[in-house]
Amino acid sequence: MSKLKVIEHTCDICVVGGGLAGCMAAIRAGELNERVILVDKSNPERSGCTATGTDHIWAYFPEVQKAEGVSLDDLVEDHVQNLAKGLINRDIIDYIAATSYDRILDLERFGMKMRYDDSTLPGNFRLQYQLHNCRNTLHFDGRDVKRVLTEQVRKRGVIVAGRVMINDLLVHDGQIAGAVGYGTRDGHLHVFRAKAVIMAAGRPNRLYKTYSGLVFNTRMPPALTGDGKAAMFRAGVELINMEFVSIPGRWSSKNLVRGGGLPGGSYQPCGIGLNGHDEVIRPRNHEMGPWQGPSTPFGTDKTFMGELKAGRGPIYADMSWGSEEDQAYMHWAIANEGSGSSFHHLNREYDIDFRKHKIELWPLEPEHSAAAAGGPIVDGQCRTSLPGLFAAGDEAGGIPQSVVPGALTMGYLAGESAAEFACQMTHTPQGGNFDALMAFCSQINSRKHGDPWQEAQSFIHNVMSDYNIAYRSGTMARRGFDSLSYLKQNMRLTAANPHEMTHCLEMRNLIECGEIIFRSTIERRESRYRIFTRLDYPERDDANWFCFLGQRLDGDRVVFEKHKP
């Protein structure tokens, strides 16, 4: 490969990541500032968790919830107690609940269809039960939400720098000075000098083995490799909750992995869950009711995993039920949810008919997202611990199950906060270095022979899956940490082109995220619901560990700090 070339860019606000949160941050920042750059690892028209669509978003719909006797405070308390188990950033969840409806109206103004004549509810919204104990999840035509938002980004004069993977942050005199990334197509280093930076690069996928054995067969985009979290940690930003993990992440159609809440969610009102004896685990319900103990979210006292372990597998989704109208609704919802169009296409190609064929389900790989919510600690304005740096959506820590409304609302808020910060700056900082990134890339460029990135990926998969899931303990975490440290010190990666170099840089970030996770696992000496289990500390310890566990780099030393929610 040719010698690295450095290309300089200057702006007031640099938004890193072009998913929902990043696009909304760029839209709002672009309304308030004329010098905004959105940097995306891919093309923001089809990047992030909603790259191929989303069919649902929760919010507080005043005309509906008030009529049903549910106040905004009731919804927030439901989220805090039942979804977050009390461990949540109250300022941010209050903001999300109070403003998510406004962001839905924004999507409607941008041209997205949000209302339907067949609805009998005020506002003609198609609302379902999903996360909360009230009917507040909107089903809508969201397949092309990213295309619509990217168009709005460009309409506001925001410069879109696509195919650039941000790897490190620039810090000067204790505050943000910009970001530096690698061009995944041109092979150059791109330096973005900025007064303020908004991080919205998403979650760390590809840490664990996939059940199909295919590296990129993940529920969420495999290009999300914790790049933002790794860059922030290296810059000294405090990260919280990185030890938390969703186990299993989700259940999905076996082999053809996708989202959609099968057999609930997008598969309402037709889907039911069955075990291997055709016994119903999750019954059909046109409007999936709220989860009220002792039953599970699947509607009975049985769980998919419990049935598998009891020898009553396989587990199936049966979508053969319902009227033609019900079937049409289900097919519409699936088409708008992530990978749904591809799912329909492949089913047609292989003559799979929901009326005739059951779909086998299987648990997905663990995820550090949704219920887990690890990332930089932020205040009520999306400010991180580093002045001038902001975070939104899945990038931010401490807001479990904020999902789509969290991305839209926090992106909007981060855009406002960053614009206000940049306005107070008299000049764009010129300091900060990226020597470590330059050295990493140069070493790879100089090697004619070495290790392909796939071997490092396999090593990471084995370490994280073996030491951080079923047999997690302090000693296992130490062994896992030592294993990743060995890999970091001894791997000799090589790349023949920018595409392979991009994957090598992903390995650097996945190792960083894995080490962060293992450190936090060792430090938190308890178990906490389903998101964190240590076999050597099986009990929950609220007296000592009802907190966000923060971790930051101070020189060569890692510092931990507890934060009460």
Side-chain angles (χ1 to χ4, degrees):
M1 290 176 61
S2 59
K3 184 179 179 180
L4 288 170
K5 178 181 177 182
V6 177
I7 299 176
E8 294 265 352
H9 310 263
T10 302
C11 60
D12 284 350
I13 302 170
C14 177
V15 182
V16 178
L20 284 183
C23 279
M24 189 57 78
I27 288 169
R28 186 56 179 152
E31 292 171 346
L32 302 172
N33 189 292
E34 296 180 350
R35 302 176 70 240
V36 180
I37 295 179
L38 172 63
V39 186
D40 192 72
K41 190 176 183 178
S42 178
N43 180 341
E45 290 188 6
R46 289 296 183 195
S47 67
C49 290
T50 57
T52 52
T54 181
D55 75 326
H56 62 281
I57 176 174
W58 67 261
Y60 183 77
F61 295 84
E63 292 180 312
V64 177
Q65 268 76 68
K66 284 183 180 179
E68 296 178 348
V70 179
S71 68
L72 179 60
D73 289 341
D74 291 336
L75 175 62
V76 170
E77 196 62 20
D78 180 7
H79 196 105
V80 170
Q81 299 303 330
N82 295 324
L83 297 178
K85 306 299 183 185
L87 201 54
I88 193 169
N89 184 321
R90 287 298 299 251
D91 290 339
I92 292 295
I93 193 59
D94 284 343
Y95 179 84
I96 292 171
T99 63
S100 53
Y101 182 66
D102 295 331
R103 303 290 75 80
I104 288 173
L105 298 182
D106 283 343
L107 294 179
E108 187 174 42
R109 283 191 289 269
F110 296 161
M112 303 202 68
K113 183 174 177 59
M114 313 298 286
R115 304 172 194 263
Y116 302 88
D117 292 338
D118 61 359
S119 172
T120 59
L121 296 173
N124 294 117
F125 296 115
R126 288 176 172 174
L127 299 185
Q128 304 271 2
Y129 289 95
Q130 189 190 28
L131 295 177
H132 304 101
N133 288 313
C134 62
R135 185 169 41 173
N136 72 322
T137 292
L138 171 68
H139 270 188
F140 70 104
D141 283 80
R143 189 189 70 173
D144 293 324
V145 62
K146 289 304 313 307
R147 284 185 171 178
V148 171
L149 288 178
T150 302
E151 179 184 23
Q152 294 299 317
V153 167
R154 291 194 168 104
K155 280 185 175 181
R156 284 154 181 78
V158 175
I159 296 173
V160 176
R163 311 294 180 183
V164 176
M165 173 189 178
I166 293 298
N167 291 276
D168 286 333
L169 298 177
L170 300 175
V171 180
H172 181 66
D173 288 342
Q175 73 175 54
I176 199 70
V180 58
Y182 180 78
T184 65
R185 294 285 177 85
D186 64 24
H188 303 320
L189 286 183
H190 292 260
V191 177
F192 298 89
R193 307 284 180 184
K195 297 177 180 178
V197 174
I198 301 172
M199 297 299 290
R203 58 188 70 183
N205 287 340
R206 289 206 352 240
L207 281 170
Y208 302 93
K209 295 177 185 176
T210 63
Y211 283 94
S212 69
L214 302 175
V215 173
F216 293 94
N217 195 21
T218 56
R219 183 178 75 97
M220 288 300 182
L224 301 179
T225 49
D227 307 332
K229 299 184 197 306
M232 286 186 285
F233 183 76
R234 288 191 285 263
V237 177
E238 184 176 15
L239 307 184
I240 61 171
N241 294 359
M242 292 295 287
E243 68 275 19
F244 292 161
V245 59
S246 300
I247 304 175
R250 293 288 191 279
W251 288 70
S252 178
S253 46
K254 193 174 185 180
N255 299 322
L256 179 60
V257 172
R258 65 172 306 275
L262 196 100
S266 305
Y267 297 83
Q268 297 180 72
C270 305
I272 64 174
L274 304 175
N275 64 18
H277 301 286
D278 285 338
E279 296 169 339
V280 176
I281 306 169
R282 191 272 192 220
R284 174 179 178 255
N285 193 330
H286 185 83
E287 294 172 345
M288 187 171 71
W291 177 13
Q292 295 177 344
S295 66
T296 73
F298 304 114
T300 71
D301 60 357
K302 299 177 180 178
T303 66
F304 289 174
M305 185 61 74
E307 292 299 283
L308 274 182
K309 290 181 176 180
R312 292 189 288 269
I315 306 300
Y316 297 99
D318 181 355
M319 280 86 71
S320 65
W321 302 87
S323 64
E324 290 304 313
E325 182 182 33
D326 290 340
Q327 287 281 321
Y329 184 98
M330 176 183 67
H331 278 76
W332 162 80
I334 293 171
N336 283 285
E337 178 62 3
S339 303
S341 296
S342 298
F343 191 59
H344 280 326
H345 170 75
L346 290 172
N347 284 335
R348 288 191 298 268
E349 287 288 306
Y350 291 95
D351 295 322
I352 296 174
D353 185 342
F354 288 161
R355 286 287 200 188
K356 301 175 181 178
H357 304 102
K358 294 181 292 187
I359 306 296
E360 186 177 353
L361 305 182
W362 201 253
L364 300 177
E365 71 281 354
E367 298 179 349
H368 289 271
S369 60
I377 189 169
V378 296
D379 67 6
Q381 299 299 315
C382 290
R383 292 180 291 230
T384 72
S385 60
L386 179 64
L389 181 67
F390 304 83
D394 281 343
E395 191 75 275
I399 314 101
Q401 298 290 10
S402 65
V403 288
V404 174
L408 295 174
T409 58
M410 292 179 70
Y412 188 94
L413 178 59
E416 286 190 334
S417 299
E420 181 181 358
F421 184 90
C423 184
Q424 298 170 357
M425 294 282 293
T426 58
H427 65 282
T428 303
Q430 296 300 307
N433 74 76
F434 48 96
D435 294 347
L437 177 61
M438 177 69 83
F440 183 86
C441 294
S442 297
Q443 287 173 1
I444 293 174
N445 270 347
S446 67
R447 293 190 188 108
K448 294 183 179 180
H449 305 286
D451 307 321
W453 68 268
Q454 291 92 336
E455 292 188 4
Q457 177 72 82
S458 179
F459 191 108
I460 294 166
H461 274 173
N462 288 334
V463 170
M464 296 303 298
S465 298
D466 291 349
Y467 297 106
N468 197 52
I469 303 302
Y471 309 108
R472 184 193 291 174
S473 69
T475 51
M476 289 290 280
R478 289 186 185 92
R479 175 62 175 167
F481 180 88
D482 291 343
S483 298
L484 290 183
S485 298
Y486 173 86
L487 175 64
K488 181 165 62 175
Q489 294 166 11
N490 291 279
M491 65 182 180
R492 298 292 181 265
L493 297 177
T494 186
N497 52 56
H499 179 75
E500 292 184 1
M501 178 67 85
T502 299
H503 285 310
C504 291
L505 289 164
E506 289 176 336
M507 298 306 103
R508 177 179 184 245
N509 292 333
L510 287 174
I511 292 170
E512 192 79 73
C513 288
E515 288 183 332
I516 296 168
I517 291 165
F518 280 128
R519 285 195 207 95
S520 290
T521 296
I522 294 167
E523 188 71 13
R524 182 179 284 273
R525 294 178 292 277
E526 65 151 358
S527 291
R528 182 157 295 275
Y529 302 105
R530 296 181 64 195
I531 58 173
F532 186 75
T533 301
R534 272 187 60 165
L535 299 180
D536 49 348
Y537 286 93
E539 303 298 325
R540 192 173 79 249
D541 182 1
D542 285 341
N544 293 298
W545 293 105
F546 181 71
C547 64
F548 300 138
L549 177 58
Q551 179 183 166
R552 62 183 174 86
L553 195 60
D554 183 8
D556 295 329
R557 186 170 62 102
V558 174
V559 178
F560 291 95
E561 185 175 353
K562 296 179 182 180
H563 301 269
K564 291 295 183 182

